[in-house]
Amino acid sequence: MDAEKIIDSLTSKFPEAISDTNTESERRISAYADADNIVEICQYLKDELQFGHLCSETAVDLIQKNEIDVVYHIGSYDHPVVLTLKAKLSRDKPQIESVVPVYWNANWYERETYELFGVQYKNHPDLRNLVLPDELLGDWPLRKDYEGFPQNTAKNLV
């Protein structure tokens, strides 16, 4: 399956939930997904379009837009295309459904994104801190308005 067919399939299946599609090359595509449909879209990617591997999941703090984008890099073992899928969230209350039921390895990515950016993953099986000490939970050190950003990202390093 090539990049154009994947984009066409996604936009046909989810016309209201997929936007800003881009074919960067024959192997790299990107799109924005409606946050409310993220699990359904990921399940479709896995089951119908053979995107069986969540390569990474993180967030980007877009402080000027008052948004946090959750970013998924999803690959396939069956074709050479990698999809960058993004979901826009409100920076004031960033919440999105967990994709752990679709991609089991999202567990660790979501825990890390939760503690470093403050993204709340609804229905996550074990949403607790992964890398930060308890006293830093809730500080969200990778947000751009964090006091030490970008030099010092943890209080106990000084």
Side-chain angles (χ1 to χ4, degrees), residues 63-112:
I63 194 168
Q64 304 86 351
K65 294 182 178 183
N66 199 34
E67 292 176 358
I68 290 182
D69 284 2
V70 175
V71 181
Y72 307 85
H73 293 104
I74 308 171
S76 174
Y77 298 111
D78 297 322
H79 50 76
V81 178
V82 175
L83 168 65
T84 300
L85 189 64
K86 299 179 184 179
K88 294 179 186 181
L89 307 178
S90 165
R91 196 170 185 275
D92 301 326
K93 192 176 181 184
Q95 287 188 346
I96 193 165
E97 194 71 31
S98 172
V99 297
V100 170
V102 181
Y103 299 111
W104 66 270
N105 62 324
N107 181 3
W108 293 280
Y109 297 133
E110 291 178 356
R111 287 174 58 190
E112 181 179 56

Side-chain angles (χ1 to χ4, degrees), residues 37-147:
N37 300 91
I38 197 66
V39 174
E40 184 181 6
I41 291 167
C42 285
Q43 194 69 61
Y44 179 77
L45 285 166
K46 185 177 182 183
D47 295 346
E48 302 299 324
L49 301 180
Q50 292 76 46
F51 281 89
H53 178 65
L54 179 65
C55 306
S56 70
E57 180 181 344
T58 190
V60 177
D61 184 12
L62 302 171
I63 194 168
Q64 304 86 351
K65 294 182 178 183
N66 199 34
E67 292 176 358
I68 290 182
D69 284 2
V70 175
V71 181
Y72 307 85
H73 293 104
I74 308 171
S76 174
Y77 298 111
D78 297 322
H79 50 76
V81 178
V82 175
L83 168 65
T84 300
L85 189 64
K86 299 179 184 179
K88 294 179 186 181
L89 307 178
S90 165
R91 196 170 185 275
D92 301 326
K93 192 176 181 184
Q95 287 188 346
I96 193 165
E97 194 71 31
S98 172
V99 297
V100 170
V102 181
Y103 299 111
W104 66 270
N105 62 324
N107 181 3
W108 293 280
Y109 297 133
E110 291 178 356
R111 287 174 58 190
E112 181 179 56
T113 305
Y114 158 68
E115 68 182 331
L116 297 176
F117 288 94
V119 175
Q120 294 287 326
Y121 288 93
K122 298 182 279 188
N123 297 311
H124 187 282
D126 187 21
L127 196 58
R128 59 186 164 92
N129 52 325
L130 182 65
V131 295
L132 292 179
D134 289 339
E135 64 268 14
L136 282 177
L137 195 59
D139 280 0
W140 308 316
L142 290 186
R143 284 198 184 191
K144 292 182 180 167
D145 57 356
Y146 182 70
E147 186 177 310

